[in-house]
């Protein structure tokens, strides 16, 4: 089954290779198409299979030419024009451009000048001092490549949560349709809502394991059967591996706890159990107080729990610990002391303060975005298009004059809307921590989100000072995606999250959890560190079209990984309290 994520990846590669080949204009169109394909709410391959080609053409940013290529790929697994480009430029473009500062044009130049095709080629050339011999390159670029090549290798091995979890939901829906399956759930890092995952792990409770495995590998969505046996199977759907394990119903809870992890959490929990003469494993919780030390076996002792996951924790006198918290960052002690947080949920979210429209790099109008927010039941919604500044590509940022013009339109739309509409902007935090907005613009706006888009190679100390300085600016309401990272693409800034949290608390500025699945910035541990300093958090989607308002799902679970409660997140507040916070 061709997934939307797989389709998007092909058109991102298309755009990169065109840019590497010095083609103008086309790359931007292909990137926009890729973004809209990735965010499309339903499987495009299903629409093509149903013969609904018109629906494909009607996707924003997809016209006759690109839609024909989408259909070609779904039906044949290839795009002839892309294959020709690959032959002309045989570059591992996705791998090479994961190195900060090495874009498609750079990759094209290095291929033409030095024949570099792979990360290994790039590393060898840098180690030999050949990069700096190319016109326009220097020792600094060469050193940057050497410092970041291993990171580029590592991040290419994991899938984005936002791409893998929808597929996992489809897998669960299929398993639930099998009569012999009594219960099923995802496990592993995807159940802990980690921002990237290795494989999709799924657990099913059944007394007919072999039959369930047979139906699973025969599922029409499966592209490749990797292996299968009486109790487990591994298949591939698109570019994602899915591992199924079947267990008997009475051991489903213990298996779910065991295979959810994390490893560190499980080790600490098992040690906690040993101290209480209990034994935990994938088969259950066992009282081993009367068992001789020499006794061996997984099921030794009196089995006291295992059918439900909650029962595994209850057997130790603990409340159930949400999967997002199972990282061994104090959750067991908090459970023991009755201090687990009352975690935020999507139902707690009352609005979104960071979205884009066709005034900058968004794909639709202010009115359409506000209507989509109202349909979600939000009480408020913020428009925050890009201001001019470093890191904004393609001249998509708004000048001060354009911002003031947009504010007038936002006010008009807001006057007719059923919800509160905030006029905002996404300003750019430059290398020194400053933003470039006039006083007239600052006075006209309701909310200023300030984000990093450039100078992302700063060391941790410099980056921390830069971000803290931005937080000291009274005009800034939200520090957007603080690291500037793009998962599986660039690492972004490293910084002291505790110092950031302390400054945010002191200056009443919210730190953003950017819900875009390619960012998820801040991340769980950084949110936790910031909350411990009393910092307010804002969970926003950074949406560029109505369908991506659904990204809130990823942001909320990321905030949960940081122990966030509803009151910690300004998006849950009453309007009067929010207005006061926004000065």
């Amino acid at each position: 089954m061709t997934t939307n994520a797989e389709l998007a990846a092909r058109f991102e590669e298309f755009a990169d290779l065109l840019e590497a080949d010095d083609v103008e204009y086309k790359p931007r169109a292909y990137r926009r198409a890729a973004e809209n394909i990735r965010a499309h709410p339903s499987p495009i391959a299903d629409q093509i299979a149903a013969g609904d080609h018109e629906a494909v053409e009607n996707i924003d940013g997809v016209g006759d030419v690109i839609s024909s290529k989408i259909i070609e790929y779904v039906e044949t697994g290839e795009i002839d024009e892309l294959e020709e480009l690959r032959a002309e430029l045989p570059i591992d473009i996705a791998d090479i451009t994961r190195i900060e500062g090495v874009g498609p044009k750079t990759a094209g130049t290095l291929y033409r000048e030095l024949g570099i095709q792979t990360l290994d080629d790039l590393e060898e050339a840098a180690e030999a001092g050949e990069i700096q011999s190319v016109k326009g390159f220097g020792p600094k670029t060469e050193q940057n490549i050497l410092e970041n090549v291993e990171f580029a290798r590592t991040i290419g091995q994991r899938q984005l949560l936002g791409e893998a979890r929808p597929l996992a939901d489809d897998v669960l829906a299929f398993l639930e349709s099998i009569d012999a399956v009594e219960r099923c759930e995802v496990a592993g890092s995807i159940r802990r809502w980690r921002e990237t995952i290795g494989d999709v792990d799924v657990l099913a409770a059944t007394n007919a394991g072999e039959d369930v495995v047979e139906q699973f590998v025969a599922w029409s969505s499966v592209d490749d059967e990797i292996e299968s046996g009486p109790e487990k199977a591994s298949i591939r759907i698109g570019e994602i591996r899915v591992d199924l394990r079947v267990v008997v119903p009475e051991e489903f809870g213990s298996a779910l706890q065991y295979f959810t992890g994390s490893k560190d959490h499980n080790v600490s929990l098992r040690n906690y159990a040993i101290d209480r003469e209990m034994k935990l494993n994938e088969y259950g919780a066992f009282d081993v107080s009367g068992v001789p030390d020499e006794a061996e076996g997984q099921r030794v002792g009196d089995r006291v729990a295992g059918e439900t996951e909650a029962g595994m924790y209850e057997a130790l006198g603990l409340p159930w610990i949400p999967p997002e918290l199972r990282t061994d960052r104090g959750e067991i002690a908090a459970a023991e002391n009755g201090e687990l947080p009352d975690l935020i949920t999507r139902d707690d979210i009352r609005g979104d303060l960071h979205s884009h429209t066709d005034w900058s790099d968004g794909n639709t109008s202010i009115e359409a975005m506000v209507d989509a927010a109202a349909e979600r039941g939000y009480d408020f919604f913020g428009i925050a298009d890009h201001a001019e500044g470093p890191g904004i590509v393609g001249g998509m940022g708004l000048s001060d004059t354009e911002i003031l013009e947009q504010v007038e339109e936002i006010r008009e739309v807001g006057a007719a809307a059923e919800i509160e509409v905030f006029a905002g902007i996404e300003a750019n935090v430059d290398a020194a921590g400053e933003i470039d907005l006039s006083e007239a613009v600052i006075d006209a706006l309701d909310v200023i989100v300030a984000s990093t888009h450039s100078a992302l190679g700063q060391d941790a100390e410099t980056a921390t000072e830069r971000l803290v300085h931005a937080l000291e600016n009274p005009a800034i309401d939200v520090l957007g995606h603080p690291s500037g990272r793009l998962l599986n693409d660039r690492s972004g800034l490293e910084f002291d999250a505790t110092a950031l949290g302390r400054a945010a608390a002191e200056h009443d500025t919210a730190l953003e959890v950017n819900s875009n699945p390619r960012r998820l910035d801040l991340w769980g541990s950084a949110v936790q560190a910031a909350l411990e300093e009393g910092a307010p958090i804002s969970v926003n989607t950074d949406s560029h079209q109505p369908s991506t308002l659904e990204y809130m799902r990823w942001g909320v679970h990321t905030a949960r990984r940081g122990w966030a409660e509803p009151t910690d997140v300004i998006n849950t507040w009453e309007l009067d309290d929010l207005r006061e916070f926004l000065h």
Side-chain angles (χ1 to χ4, degrees):
M1 178 181 72
T2 303
T3 64
N4 290 356
E6 182 182 348
L7 275 170
R10 295 293 78 76
F11 283 92
E12 286 164 348
E13 180 188 6
F14 221 139
D16 285 347
L17 288 173
L18 287 167
E19 188 174 337
D21 203 29
D22 291 328
V23 175
E24 296 184 1
Y25 307 117
K26 244 183 172 181
R28 181 174 166 185
Y30 278 47
R31 287 199 177 91
R32 183 183 177 195
E35 181 179 351
N36 295 337
I37 289 166
R38 190 182 299 277
H40 195 62
S42 57
I44 294 172
D46 288 354
Q47 295 173 322
I48 293 171
D52 191 2
H53 292 185
E54 185 177 346
V56 180
E57 295 175 8
N58 289 335
I59 298 170
D60 285 339
V62 174
D64 293 344
V65 173
I66 293 179
S67 69
S68 67
K69 290 179 170 59
I70 293 172
I71 294 165
E72 180 185 359
Y73 185 79
V74 170
E75 292 181 345
T76 70
E78 291 184 350
I79 302 172
D80 284 345
E81 189 177 335
L82 177 58
E83 293 303 317
E84 291 170 6
L85 260 177
R86 286 171 169 171
E88 181 183 341
L89 290 170
I91 308 169
D92 291 343
I93 195 79
D95 287 347
I96 290 174
T97 55
R98 287 188 180 110
I99 294 177
E100 178 66 28
V102 178
K105 284 186 177 296
T106 299
T109 299
L110 292 175
Y111 170 69
R112 286 186 287 270
E113 296 293 328
L114 300 174
I116 290 172
Q117 300 182 34
T118 67
L119 279 174
D120 288 343
D121 293 343
L122 189 63
E123 185 177 34
E124 288 176 12
E127 287 176 342
E130 296 174 354
I131 303 292
Q132 57 183 293
S133 68
V134 178
K135 184 179 179 181
F137 295 80
K140 188 174 180 181
T141 301
E142 197 166 67
Q143 185 60 34
N144 175 70
I145 289 170
L146 287 172
E147 290 174 354
N148 288 281
V149 70
E150 194 55 43
F151 170 81
R153 284 195 182 98
T154 302
I155 60 176
Q157 299 169 4
R158 297 182 66 82
Q159 299 287 336
L160 297 181
L161 171 68
E163 295 173 356
R165 181 71 207 211
L167 173 61
D169 292 339
D170 291 341
V171 173
L172 290 177
F174 172 74
L175 290 172
E176 287 168 353
S177 72
I178 300 175
D179 290 339
V181 173
E182 297 187 16
R183 284 181 288 172
C184 58
E185 182 56 276
V186 292
S189 56
I190 200 167
R191 186 166 179 244
R192 302 194 310 274
W193 299 85
R194 187 174 173 183
E195 57 262 43
T196 62
I197 63 106
D199 307 316
V200 173
D201 298 309
V202 189
L203 201 66
T206 178
N207 286 311
E210 291 191 45
D211 178 53
V212 170
V213 168
E214 287 179 9
Q215 293 188 58
F216 177 68
V217 298
W219 183 25
S220 60
S221 294
V222 173
D223 291 318
D224 181 37
E225 177 185 336
I226 299 170
E227 60 180 345
S228 64
E231 296 179 345
K232 57 185 178 180
S234 297
I235 54 94
R236 194 173 301 281
I237 299 177
E239 298 175 345
I240 300 177
R241 174 176 171 139
V242 182
D243 294 327
L244 169 69
R245 183 179 295 267
V246 294
V247 298
V248 293
E250 55 267 28
E251 294 178 352
F252 180 77
S254 51
L256 183 60
Q257 193 286 318
Y258 179 84
F259 289 111
T260 293
S262 68
K263 179 181 178 180
D264 290 341
H265 172 82
N266 282 356
V267 168
S268 292
L269 193 67
R270 285 200 297 271
N271 289 336
Y272 187 89
I274 290 170
D275 290 342
R276 287 150 185 80
E277 297 187 291
M278 297 284 292
K279 177 179 180 178
L280 299 186
N281 56 39
E282 62 189 280
Y283 305 106
F286 300 88
D287 182 346
V288 293
S289 57
V291 176
D293 292 341
E294 62 272 15
E296 297 181 357
Q298 295 283 17
R299 295 180 173 87
V300 168
D302 295 328
R303 188 173 185 273
V304 297
E307 187 171 354
T308 69
E309 187 180 55
M312 295 291 288
Y313 290 94
E314 290 168 3
L316 302 177
L318 300 174
W320 178 77
I321 298 177
E324 295 96 327
L325 301 186
R326 300 179 197 174
T327 57
D328 199 30
R329 294 203 307 264
E331 68 275 9
I332 295 174
E336 182 180 24
N337 297 326
E339 296 174 351
L340 284 175
D342 181 15
L343 295 178
I344 187 173
T345 70
R346 277 204 290 173
D347 290 341
D348 294 317
I349 297 293
R350 303 165 68 96
D352 189 339
L353 293 171
H354 183 177
S355 68
H356 296 269
T357 74
D358 53 12
W359 275 72
S360 65
D361 61 341
N363 299 324
T364 191
S365 66
I366 295 169
E367 185 175 11
M369 292 299 290
V370 171
D371 287 346
E375 288 173 5
R376 294 180 69 84
Y378 283 164
D379 296 333
F380 60 85
F381 190 67
I383 302 295
D385 273 313
H386 286 289
E388 291 178 331
I392 303 303
V393 296
M396 300 300 290
L398 305 182
S399 67
D400 281 4
T401 300
E402 290 169 326
I403 293 170
L404 292 173
E405 291 173 357
Q406 189 194 40
V407 168
E408 292 182 12
E409 183 173 331
I410 292 172
R411 299 296 183 215
E412 291 176 8
V413 172
E418 299 176 355
I419 63 176
E420 181 92 0
V421 182
F422 292 116
I425 200 71
E426 184 178 10
N428 301 285
V429 177
D430 68 18
E434 301 285 350
I435 61 171
D436 185 17
L437 296 175
S438 69
E439 288 299 322
V441 165
I442 291 171
D443 290 343
L445 294 169
D446 301 315
V447 56
I448 296 176
V449 179
S451 308
T452 56
H453 296 100
S454 61
L456 301 180
Q458 292 176 324
D459 61 72
E461 183 178 356
T462 303
T464 301
E465 291 174 355
R466 169 190 184 182
L467 296 175
V468 167
H469 183 66
L471 289 166
E472 292 169 347
N473 187 332
I476 296 174
D477 302 294
V478 179
L479 185 65
H481 52 73
S483 81
R485 74 178 185 179
L486 290 175
L487 292 166
N488 282 3
D489 191 353
R490 68 184 185 212
S491 55
L493 296 170
E494 294 183 7
F495 51 79
D496 182 341
T498 296
L500 219 61
R502 189 180 306 119
E506 180 181 351
H507 298 285
D508 250 1
T509 304
L511 301 177
E512 183 180 70
V513 173
N514 188 293
S515 303
N516 186 312
R518 304 186 76 181
R519 291 192 183 274
L520 297 183
D521 176 13
L522 294 169
W523 48 93
S525 60
V527 172
Q528 187 177 6
L531 287 178
E532 288 173 354
E533 298 300 316
I537 299 296
S538 184
V539 181
N540 300 310
T541 60
D542 198 356
S543 289
H544 286 62
Q545 61 189 47
S547 64
T548 53
L549 292 176
E550 180 58 27
Y551 286 170
M552 187 61 74
R553 179 188 193 190
W554 318 123
V556 166
H557 281 285
T558 299
R560 287 169 63 92
R561 283 175 61 83
W563 297 51
E565 298 185 305
T567 53
D568 298 321
V569 178
I570 66 174
N571 306 66
T572 72
W573 294 0
E574 296 286 345
L575 263 172
D576 286 345
D577 294 331
L578 182 59
R579 289 192 194 100
E580 183 178 350
F581 178 83
L582 297 176
H583 317 301

